[in-house]
Amino acid sequence: MAFLKNVFGGTRTGSLRRLKHMTGLVTALESETVKHSDGQLPEMLRELRSRALKKRESLEALLPETFALVRETARRVLKERPFEVQVMGGIALHEGNIAEMKTGEGKTLVATMPVVLNALSGGGVHVVTVNEYLARRDATWMNGIYGSLGLSVGVTLHGQSPEEKRAAYAADITYGTNNEFGFDYLRD
């Protein structure tokens, strides 16, 4: 049993140590990021996107700069600065892991960091919510961050016309429910 405890405990400890290290890289960029004007923030995102698409830099390499940029944008626009644990949650989400958070701990804000990072690829990002109210609310609320960075946001809802659906899916970031995404796929 001690062997298994060491193996699994070590893995969790190692993952946590790595997440803390990555969060430290994001935080270290904060002092430089705050110096930029509001108008420079979308330019910074365009440069990151160019590095992802033209220079083929990996999203992992761009993660610290992108997360620092989103963090600063959230601080300015929403007056909410993601805490270190929220940055760690965003990194975990980007890596395809589950980041369990209770109501009120900032899931909606946490998601903005990996969403913007993955939007750098230019392929569109889908954010799945449990109901249409949350899809509409979160898209509107977080559009303050996304819009400030020059990204477009769409929402796919039941009953929309084909044109409205196309516009939602053409956005950089599309919010919707699992049912709506699934049925849109089948209809398409």
Side-chain angles (χ1 to χ4, degrees):
M1 286 303 271
F3 170 75
L4 290 175
K5 217 177 215 183
N6 286 337
V7 170
F8 290 113
T11 302
R12 280 194 303 256
T13 303
S15 294
L16 187 57
R17 200 174 301 129
R18 187 183 52 71
L19 288 173
K20 285 182 179 182
H21 170 73
M22 291 293 293
T23 299
L25 296 176
V26 172
T27 301
L29 293 169
E30 193 167 21
S31 61
E32 187 61 35
T33 307
V34 298
K35 294 177 184 176
H36 292 87
S37 70
D38 291 350
Q40 290 174 308
L41 298 181
E43 291 174 23
M44 292 172 68
L45 188 71
R46 279 192 294 280
E47 172 59 28
L48 289 166
R49 184 176 258 181
S50 174
R51 288 168 51 195
L53 295 174
K54 294 179 184 165
K55 297 179 182 175
R56 302 279 187 213
E57 283 188 54
S58 71
L59 294 181
E60 286 67 29
L62 299 172
L63 186 148
E65 291 173 80
T66 305
F67 274 43
L69 177 60
V70 175
R71 190 183 212 184
E72 177 58 21
T73 304
R75 186 188 67 76
R76 292 181 190 190
V77 173
L78 302 178
K79 309 292 185 237
E80 296 180 20
R81 178 188 170 272
F83 296 109
E84 279 71 18
V85 70
Q86 291 173 310
V87 173
M88 290 170 59
I91 296 167
L93 289 175
H94 169 69
E95 293 176 348
N97 296 308
I98 295 171
E100 184 179 351
M101 298 175 72
K102 295 178 182 174
T103 300
E105 290 184 336
K107 291 181 287 297
T108 305
L109 183 60
V110 166
T112 60
M113 293 174 281
V115 164
V116 171
L117 177 64
N118 284 276
L120 296 178
S121 67
V125 177
H126 296 101
V127 180
V128 183
T129 63
V130 296
N131 60 51
E132 289 191 346
Y133 166 78
L134 290 176
R136 189 180 297 115
R137 181 202 74 177
D138 293 355
T140 302
W141 185 15
M142 295 301 116
N143 191 35
I145 294 172
Y146 304 135
S148 293
L149 293 172
L151 296 171
S152 59
V153 178
V155 182
T156 181
L157 303 168
H158 179 72
Q160 287 178 320
S161 69
E163 294 77 27
E164 290 170 315
K165 293 277 189 182
R166 272 193 285 285
Y169 284 113
D172 295 307
I173 301 156
T174 306
Y175 280 79
T177 65
N178 60 341
N179 284 343
E180 207 57 33
F181 285 132
F183 283 117
D184 286 347
Y185 175 78
L186 292 173
R187 281 188 286 265
D188 191 46

